Every structure is written in structure tokens, then in C-alpha cells.
Amino acid sequence: MSVYEHEAYLANGELKSLTAYQGDVLLIVNTASGCHFTKQFTGLQALYERYHAQGFHVLAFPSNQFLNQELKSNREIMTFCETTYHVSFPIFQKIRVNGKEQHPLYRYLTTAQSGLFNKSIKWNFTKFLINRKGQVVKRYAPTVKPEQIQADIEKALLST
């Protein structure tokens, strides 16, 4: 199984198959615009700009499961990310990253790479690095800043 077997709706309503990213390195992040970690959008955008030409993408999946920190509509989320943080990577529609209504992509991600104590996502800005084969390479806690992932991204970009 791989991330390529999944699809999700972009914030603009377009259904996007993750096969569109086949052969690329991905960083999948659950986000929230009202979170203390929201400023990580700056670092995520910097990584995207630096490595995009080499086949690297950041995919943001907003979620409102942690203290209601994502109350905006999908369009408002996209506008907020674009205007406040100049984000140019894809923002998807709000999803559930935990629980019985967990999005199938996050079911796959959390099964492939458990967290510290269990599979569930603990907070906003948990990150998953995906290799060119669509497999989860590593999971990062929300406190890990995007800049701290740079060496792992470079390594993933070099592997086939």
C-alpha cells in the first residue's frame, strides 16, 4: 500500500488523486490556522520553494480536531494561507485525522508510522515524510520545525 492509493478534495473543491505526486517526495501535514504552530507555514513554504524543482511537495490537510483551532471554511483557510504566509503548495479541505471518521489517507499514515505512544495524531502540524515510492519514511511531532526536516528531505530526494 502507498499514499498513491488515496484521494482527497482540495480546498477549492477539486478531487485530487495522490497518484498526481507519484515518484515525488511528499511532506504531509495536518494544519490549523489558529494554532500556536501555525507560523510553521513559513518554514513549510521555504522547504517547498527550495526543493520543489527536485520533485518535492508539501500537502496541507487542515483539521479542527484539536481545541477547535480551525474554524474557518475551506475557502477561508486557503485565502488565509495564501495571504498571510504566501503558501503556494496545495491546501486540501478540512478532514478528520483521528477517530471513527478519520480520513483514509490518515488511517494509512498513522498505521504506517505510529506516534510516541500510539497511532493517533496528538496535535496540529504532525508531519509525515513520504518517499518516492509513496511509503512513509518518518513521522515528526508538531514541535519539530520544518527546518529540522531538511536533511531527511534531501536524503529522500536522493533515493529512488
Side-chain angles (χ1 to χ4, degrees):
M1 191 165 201
S2 75
V3 296
Y4 306 135
E5 297 173 35
H6 300 279
E7 58 187 16
Y9 285 96
L10 291 165
N12 67 8
E14 174 190 342
L15 183 61
K16 182 84 167 181
S17 171
L18 296 191
T19 58
Y21 303 104
Q22 198 156 0
D24 292 336
V25 172
L26 307 175
L27 188 64
I28 298 176
V29 187
N30 66 299
T31 62
S33 58
C35 179
H36 172 73
F37 296 117
T38 302
K39 60 188 171 216
Q40 287 188 18
F41 274 120
T42 300
L44 293 169
Q45 179 63 27
L47 289 175
Y48 178 69
E49 289 173 6
R50 181 171 190 159
Y51 298 110
H52 180 67
Q54 297 173 53
F56 173 73
H57 302 274
V58 175
L59 307 180
F61 287 86
S63 179
N64 191 37
Q65 287 192 270
F66 306 101
L67 293 179
N68 296 315
Q69 294 183 336
E70 189 54 86
L71 296 174
K72 294 176 172 56
S73 71
N74 290 309
R75 183 152 306 282
E76 289 171 324
I77 293 166
M78 189 171 63
T79 300
F80 170 81
C81 292
E82 290 171 353
T83 59
T84 307
Y85 291 99
H86 310 289
V87 165
S88 58
F89 53 81
I91 306 292
F92 288 80
Q93 288 186 359
K94 255 191 293 193
I95 63 167
R96 297 191 60 82
V97 297
N98 286 326
K100 141 176 118 162
E101 295 176 15
Q102 181 182 42
H103 191 280
L105 172 63
Y106 268 79
R107 190 172 306 112
Y108 166 72
L109 293 172
T110 56
T111 299
Q113 193 70 238
S114 294
L116 185 57
F117 297 111
N118 59 35
K119 293 178 183 182
S120 68
I121 301 293
K122 310 292 184 295
W123 202 254
N124 304 306
F125 289 88
T126 297
K127 302 157 202 71
F128 292 88
L129 183 61
I130 312 300
N131 67 17
R132 293 185 185 275
K133 295 176 184 172
Q135 301 160 332
V136 180
V137 175
K138 200 163 183 184
R139 177 177 174 161
Y140 305 91
T143 54
V144 175
K145 295 177 183 170
E147 305 80 49
Q148 296 173 283
I149 301 171
Q150 192 167 320
D152 290 341
I153 292 168
E154 290 174 359
K155 184 178 175 182
L157 286 167
L158 291 173
S159 60
T160 54

